[in-house]
């Protein structure tokens, strides 16, 4: 190959890499309004965690002595409840945290202190197949499974995302989510956000600014920052009280086809406004904004059956949206 062709190739590759990592403003080409049907919960729940694992929707509850509830999708029939509150074997010592995964395996933190429990549904019953030791002092939030041997989690105290290797039993990669400057005089922590992954990439949507960052799931290399038109950068010092802030991304989930982010766009005190779910494909392209008919706090996506499931502060129902 001639030197001129080699030089041209280097230039083109550099331009490609720059386009992948630079900030890009986004407009959704499609907006769709969705109306929910209400499915009775058949149990007590709260709004903390829900996730789809294969043919099942799993919902956690802190208001019940049995803290994990499994529903068959898409009809949402309650088929199993497990995780008794307590300190005996196979009981939950603390509030259960679900580890998001795009596989059939359910991951739960809480059965044993500093362990992650692997669970499979066998004949519609929970079968605990392994307890994985977590050897770190960090408090994990928004746990996601990158693979059978790698865990991704958000550390709100250190303002970072971590990758943890089960085999090495250590944190192998760390990526900061912001400048980490937060003190007791700040109204909010601008680095707070929601984390999800499908094993290919990791996305982090910010709660107090309309921005999403995308990272490589293997080494946490930044891939893209997704910005939106007319979105101004703010600092915590500019906020004088809680009424000055706007909630942006408060939840996210990833699938084999892309990722979905729950967008609020209102003040924390607004109890009346609805919300939307924004879908991005695996190339981080904005594809569709789904406008929901009510406010929800937690959600999960069932692409196999074409449903979005959500819950809010009404303890009687799971809301089900047909989106495809």
């Amino acid at each position: 190959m001639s030197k001129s062709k080699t030089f041209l190739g280097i230039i083109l590759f550099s331009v490609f890499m720059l386009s992948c990592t630079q900030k890009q403003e986004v407009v959704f080409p499609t907006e769709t309004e969705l109306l929910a049907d209400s499915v009775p919960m058949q149990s007590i729940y709260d709004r903390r965690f829900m996730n789809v694992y294969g043919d099942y929707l799993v919902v956690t509850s802190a208001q019940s002595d049995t803290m994990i509830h499994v529903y068959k999708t898409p009809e949402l029939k309650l088929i199993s409840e497990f995780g008794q509150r307590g300190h005996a074997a196979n009981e939950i010592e603390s509030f259960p945290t679900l580890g998001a995964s795009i596989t059939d395996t359910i991951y739960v933190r809480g059965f044993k202190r500093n362990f992650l429990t692997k669970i499979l549904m066998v004949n519609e019953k929970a079968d605990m197949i392994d307890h994985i030791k977590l050897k770190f002092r960090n408090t994990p939030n928004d746990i996601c499974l990158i693979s059978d041997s790698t865990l991704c989690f958000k550390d709100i105290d250190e303002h970072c995302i971590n990758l943890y290797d089960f085999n090495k039993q250590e944190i192998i990669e760390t990526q900061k989510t912001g400048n980490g400057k937060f003190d007791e005089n700040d109204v909010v922590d601008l680095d707070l956000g929601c984390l999800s992954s499908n094993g290919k990439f990791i996305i982090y949507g910010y709660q107090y600014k309309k921005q999403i960052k995308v990272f490589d799931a293997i080494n946490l290399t930044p891939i893209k920052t997704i910005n939106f038109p007319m979105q101004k950068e703010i600092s915590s010092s500019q906020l004088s009280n809680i009424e000055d802030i706007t909630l942006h991304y408060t939840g996210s989930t990833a699938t084999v086809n892309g990722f979905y982010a729950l967008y609020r766009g209102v003040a924390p005190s607004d109890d009346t406004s609805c919300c939307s779910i924004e879908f991005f494909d695996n190339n981080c392209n904005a594809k569709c904004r789904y406008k929901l008919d009510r406010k929800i706090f937690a959600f999960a996506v069932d692409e196999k059956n074409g449903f979005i499931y959500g819950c809010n502060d009404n303890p009687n129902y799971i809301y089900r949206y047909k989106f495809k």
Side-chain angles (χ1 to χ4, degrees), residues 5-255:
K5 290 184 177 179
T6 301
F7 180 73
L8 178 61
I10 294 173
I11 293 295
L12 291 175
F13 178 76
S14 300
V15 171
F16 170 76
M17 290 302 294
L18 179 61
S19 67
C20 288
T21 57
Q22 67 184 350
K23 294 182 178 181
Q24 299 187 6
E25 291 193 345
V26 173
V27 177
F28 286 90
T30 304
E31 291 192 353
T32 302
E33 294 185 359
L34 299 181
L35 300 177
D37 64 331
S38 303
V39 181
M41 282 295 297
Q42 310 147 65
S43 186
I44 301 174
Y45 82 107
D46 62 29
R47 63 195 190 202
R48 290 289 296 279
F49 298 104
M50 63 192 320
N51 197 71
V52 170
Y53 301 92
D55 294 327
Y56 304 99
L57 173 69
V58 179
V59 182
T60 61
S61 171
Q63 302 178 26
S64 173
D65 289 335
T66 303
M67 304 178 76
I68 300 176
H69 312 274
V70 183
Y71 297 84
K72 186 74 170 60
T73 59
E75 62 270 25
L76 298 185
K77 177 184 177 182
L78 181 66
I79 61 166
S80 180
E81 296 179 287
F82 63 94
Q84 287 288 120
R85 189 192 307 269
H87 298 280
N90 295 332
E91 291 186 340
I92 293 181
E93 298 182 2
S94 61
F95 183 84
T97 302
L98 295 179
S101 169
I102 60 172
T103 70
D104 295 347
T105 306
I106 303 168
Y107 292 86
V108 180
R109 179 177 176 268
F111 279 97
K112 299 174 67 176
R113 187 177 298 274
N114 297 325
F115 278 84
L116 190 68
T117 302
K118 293 177 66 174
I119 301 166
L120 286 177
M121 295 301 297
V122 179
N123 297 323
E124 300 190 344
K125 293 184 179 180
D127 182 15
M128 297 184 187
I129 58 176
D130 196 9
H131 296 283
I132 304 168
K133 179 70 174 178
L134 302 177
K135 289 189 175 181
F136 52 76
R137 295 182 178 180
N138 316 61
T139 301
N141 292 270
D142 290 355
I143 298 173
C144 304
L145 276 295
I146 305 301
S147 67
D148 286 340
S149 61
T150 309
L151 172 75
C152 175
F153 69 92
K154 175 182 68 177
D155 186 332
I156 59 175
D157 295 325
E158 299 297 328
H159 296 80
C160 65
I161 300 169
N162 293 314
L163 291 182
Y164 178 81
D165 189 297
F166 293 147
N167 297 323
K168 296 180 180 179
Q169 295 189 330
E170 64 182 19
I171 293 173
I172 55 175
E173 299 287 349
T174 297
Q175 178 66 244
K176 286 290 185 180
T177 55
N179 59 26
K181 296 178 180 179
F182 177 73
D183 59 48
E184 60 184 13
N185 296 320
D186 291 333
V187 176
V188 296
D189 184 350
L190 292 178
D191 291 345
L192 285 180
C194 49
L195 176 76
S196 60
S197 177
N198 63 0
K200 177 181 179 182
F201 54 76
I202 295 167
I203 72 111
Y204 190 80
Y206 286 85
Q207 186 164 318
Y208 298 113
K209 54 185 174 181
K210 194 170 186 186
Q211 184 182 87
I212 297 173
K213 289 187 177 180
V214 185
F215 305 95
D216 186 280
I218 305 303
N219 53 26
L220 289 181
T221 301
I223 296 175
K224 180 181 287 189
T225 297
I226 301 173
N227 284 321
F228 292 80
M230 306 302 293
Q231 173 61 29
K232 294 171 61 178
E233 290 287 337
I234 61 173
S235 64
S236 186
S237 61
Q238 292 176 280
L239 301 173
S240 58
N241 60 69
I242 197 69
E243 296 303 325
D244 292 336
I245 72 173
T246 297
L247 287 175
H248 292 284
Y249 293 105
T250 58
S252 65
T253 190
T255 69

Side-chain angles (χ1 to χ4, degrees), residues 265-277:
V266 297
S269 59
D270 189 334
D271 291 327
T272 60
S273 297
C274 301
C275 54
S276 61
I277 291 176

